[in-house]
Amino acid sequence: MTVYIGLLLLWFIVTQFPTYRWRLFFVRKGELNSLQQHEMYSCFITVTCFFLVQVLVEPLEVYLLMLDIDLNSKIKIFYLSWVGVITILIVSIFLMHRFIRCLFSVSTRVCLYTLLVSISVSFIQLVARGYFDYHELGLVYELGGWGASLVSICAMSLYPIRQTLAYFKQVREG
């Protein structure tokens, strides 16, 4: 998942940097003039935030699983940290959009909704496994987590796919 999101981020840098130059990374408030720019920046912010969180969280996940504490405490710390990480991701996406006064694209909204599903499933697991020692919701956690991740990746892929297809159509037509 991290590699694919990294490829999406690379697509944005390779295809949009020639047009926007350093403004791609350092856009100021009020510089977005069209809905197309709002959509591009919204998708770029979402992909960037997802990528940074994935890169920073993967080592944390391994560290949390290697802690030398009892299993119940490890379960509580693991799921509570996931709730915190997802919350940080949601807040960072909101703040970046607010900071540059960018409208939320449809893809970003779908990603935010799936993050709400992920945070709900993680919280349910925290309560069920951590506090009630009920371990029968593993399938719900896996389906909810993987389903939300898959929908998020598909939503983040929509803008690059649509723009790439439009580019090839334009090249074909001359």
Side-chain angles (χ1 to χ4, degrees):
M1 186 167 145
T2 305
V3 172
Y4 185 75
I5 295 172
L7 290 172
L8 288 175
L9 183 61
L10 183 65
W11 180 90
F12 274 101
I13 292 170
V14 168
T15 61
Q16 303 302 319
F17 189 78
T19 304
Y20 294 99
R21 300 285 178 204
W22 291 106
R23 196 176 128 209
L24 180 64
F25 302 105
F26 304 110
V27 67
R28 294 186 192 123
K29 296 183 221 178
E31 285 187 354
L32 302 178
N33 302 325
S34 66
L35 286 176
Q36 290 82 14
Q37 286 181 347
H38 280 278
E39 182 182 21
M40 191 278 298
Y41 274 103
S42 179
C43 293
F44 180 66
I45 288 168
T46 303
V47 169
T48 303
C49 288
F50 265 84
F51 180 74
L52 290 175
V53 166
Q54 286 287 355
V55 167
L56 296 174
V57 168
E58 280 183 9
L60 175 68
E61 183 179 316
V62 173
Y63 173 75
L64 288 175
L65 292 175
M66 291 179 16
L67 287 175
D68 190 26
I69 56 176
D70 65 302
L71 182 61
N72 194 23
S73 297
K74 195 181 285 190
I75 288 170
K76 289 177 185 176
I77 290 172
F78 180 79
Y79 289 113
L80 187 61
S81 67
W82 267 114
V83 168
V85 164
I86 296 169
T87 302
I88 289 170
L89 180 57
I90 291 170
V91 168
S92 64
I93 291 171
F94 267 101
L95 288 177
M96 290 300 296
H97 278 78
R98 179 72 178 145
F99 181 70
I100 64 170
R101 293 185 182 150
C102 181
L103 300 174
F104 288 92
S105 67
V106 173
S107 298
T108 299
R109 288 184 197 149
V110 169
C111 288
L112 289 172
Y113 297 145
T114 59
L115 286 173
L116 291 176
V117 169
S118 295
I119 202 170
S120 299
V121 169
S122 295
F123 186 74
I124 289 169
Q125 281 292 91
L126 170 67
V127 172
R129 292 188 72 197
Y131 292 102
F132 292 113
D133 200 28
Y134 182 73
H135 302 281
E136 301 303 319
L137 295 176
L139 183 64
V140 172
Y141 179 72
E142 288 181 24
L143 289 176
W146 281 103
S149 296
L150 184 64
V151 171
S152 291
I153 286 177
C154 290
M156 285 186 277
S157 301
L158 285 178
Y159 182 80
I161 290 171
R162 207 174 49 224
Q163 293 300 316
T164 303
L165 291 175
Y167 172 77
F168 285 127
K169 183 180 177 183
Q170 182 184 9
V171 167
R172 244 184 304 150
E173 290 176 355

